[in-house]
Amino acid sequence: MPPPDPTDADLASDLVVHAARLVRAVRRELELPAGIRVISLLDEHGALGVTQLAAADRCSQPTMSALVSQLVERGWVTKAPNPDDARGSVVALTDAGGAELAVVRRRHGERIAALVADHPALTTEDLATAVAVLRGVLEKGNPS
Amino acid sequence: MPPPDPTDADLASDLVVHAARLVRAVRRELELPAGIRVISLLDEHGALGVTQLAAADRCSQPTMSALVSQLVERGWVTKAPNPDDARGSVVALTDAGGAELAVVRRRHGERIAALVADHPALTTEDLATAVAVLRGVLEKGNPS
DNA sequence: CGACGATACATAGCAAACCTATGTAGTTCC
DNA sequence: GGAACTACATAGGTTTGCTATGTATCGTCG
């Protein structure tokens, strides 16, 4: 008999390995700076504090601090003190940041979408499913 | 009216960002050494040369050289000269490497599969679809 | 057969992305 | 008003990965 159907566990580990491969492939050929994830978060959720951003991006707080600093320097986000809590900050997307996000999205979109379109067996719905799976896996343990 | 359906391009760029997020989340909480990708490749395709591995993993040849060296040190792969071509090598998985792969697979599988199972809207089929999408996107421009 | 270009790898040097540990200022709660 | 907690910054180090370049082998062609 042929090998048995892959279990969820098999699929899950393949998911991770292939995701890692994809990320590196994209970084090589299209560039995927870490800051994009942050900008993407701000675009999706609106202004947030550094710690909230770190939680949402699943990285450590110091990492997010550094990322935000870089983004501020580039003018893609602003960091203001939180008026309700002097410890905290409020990081917000600037117009320039939004524009940059649009540019990167388009670059990635064009390239990846072309590959998917090229693949007879892959539909837009499949792509949506893949994103939903990733999103679902990520949102766990991350009660926003 | 609500926002329009996301285009392929939107989905594709979300795919990349979320994949990056997933990879980092997994690296933080479960550990995902770079060598796993190589072992996984060898398990799937059998013994290969360094350059072939680099192409399959979508990384540079020097990166793969370094990865293979590490794996040899750990005893997870062997590197022998290619009898048909004195320039080349043949990298093969050892039993220990296969065992390690199984361990990591199980760790990842358990954790991720649990998250998916927890998610009412995600089925095993969805997971399979997600893997197929990633695989499809990756195999392009990489005629093995 | 000998030179020349291509191929397979290795080495060197460097940059990006992260993390842990720790310090500091502000908040909360008794 | 002091202890415990929270938000963020800084320091230092690791992993991952790339480009540039060198070396040995292969293939080919005159």
Side-chain angles (χ1 to χ4, degrees):
Chain A
M1 60 184 183
D5 281 356
T7 65
D8 273 23
D10 290 333
L11 288 170
S13 72
D14 275 0
L15 182 75
V16 173
V17 169
H18 284 88
R21 211 115 68 194
L22 172 66
V23 170
R24 254 229 342 265
V26 171
R27 266 202 242 266
R28 282 190 81 180
E29 128 173 22
L30 295 175
E31 162 186 355
L32 174 60
I36 288 300
R37 292 198 315 269
V38 181
I39 292 182
S40 180
L41 278 175
L42 291 173
D43 181 60
E44 188 173 342
H45 295 112
L48 291 172
V50 170
T51 299
Q52 290 169 346
L53 279 172
D57 195 45
R58 293 293 237 263
C59 71
S60 69
Q61 168 265 307
T63 293
M64 185 53 71
S65 272
L67 284 179
V68 168
S69 293
Q70 289 173 22
L71 293 174
V72 168
E73 267 182 45
R74 296 205 177 191
W76 292 341
V77 307
T78 55
K79 186 171 69 168
N82 184 337
D84 297 336
D85 185 341
R87 294 169 301 180
S89 302
V90 176
V91 180
L93 196 58
T94 64
D95 288 348
E100 173 68 13
L101 179 61
V103 167
V104 172
R105 261 197 212 287
R106 194 154 47 75
R107 255 208 309 265
H108 290 185
E110 279 171 4
R111 185 82 175 90
I112 308 282
L115 293 178
V116 172
D118 233 13
H119 226 278
L122 296 179
T123 66
T124 297
E125 204 178 333
D126 290 339
L127 192 51
T129 298
V131 174
V133 168
L134 292 178
R135 208 183 281 270
V137 169
L138 281 169
E139 86 190 14
K140 258 316 173 187
N142 188 27
S144 59
Chain B
M1 61 183 183
D5 281 357
T7 66
D8 272 24
D10 291 332
L11 288 169
S13 71
D14 275 0
L15 183 74
V16 173
V17 169
H18 284 89
R21 211 116 67 192
L22 173 66
V23 170
R24 254 223 349 247
V26 172
R27 266 202 241 267
R28 282 190 81 181
E29 125 174 24
L30 294 175
E31 162 186 355
L32 174 61
I36 287 300
R37 292 198 314 270
V38 181
I39 293 182
S40 180
L41 278 175
L42 291 173
D43 182 61
E44 188 173 342
H45 295 110
L48 291 172
V50 170
T51 298
Q52 291 170 353
L53 280 173
D57 195 45
R58 293 293 236 264
C59 71
S60 68
Q61 169 264 309
T63 293
M64 185 53 71
S65 272
L67 284 178
V68 168
S69 292
Q70 289 174 20
L71 293 173
V72 168
E73 267 182 44
R74 296 205 177 190
W76 291 341
V77 308
T78 56
K79 186 170 70 168
N82 184 338
D84 298 335
D85 184 342
R87 296 169 299 180
S89 301
V90 176
V91 180
L93 195 58
T94 64
D95 288 349
E100 173 67 13
L101 179 61
V103 167
V104 172
R105 262 198 213 286
R106 195 154 45 75
R107 256 210 306 266
H108 289 184
E110 279 170 4
R111 185 82 175 88
I112 309 281
L115 292 179
V116 172
D118 232 14
H119 225 280
L122 296 178
T123 66
T124 297
E125 204 178 335
D126 290 337
L127 193 50
T129 299
V131 174
V133 168
L134 292 177
R135 208 182 282 268
V137 169
L138 281 169
E139 86 190 14
K140 259 314 174 188
N142 187 30
S144 63

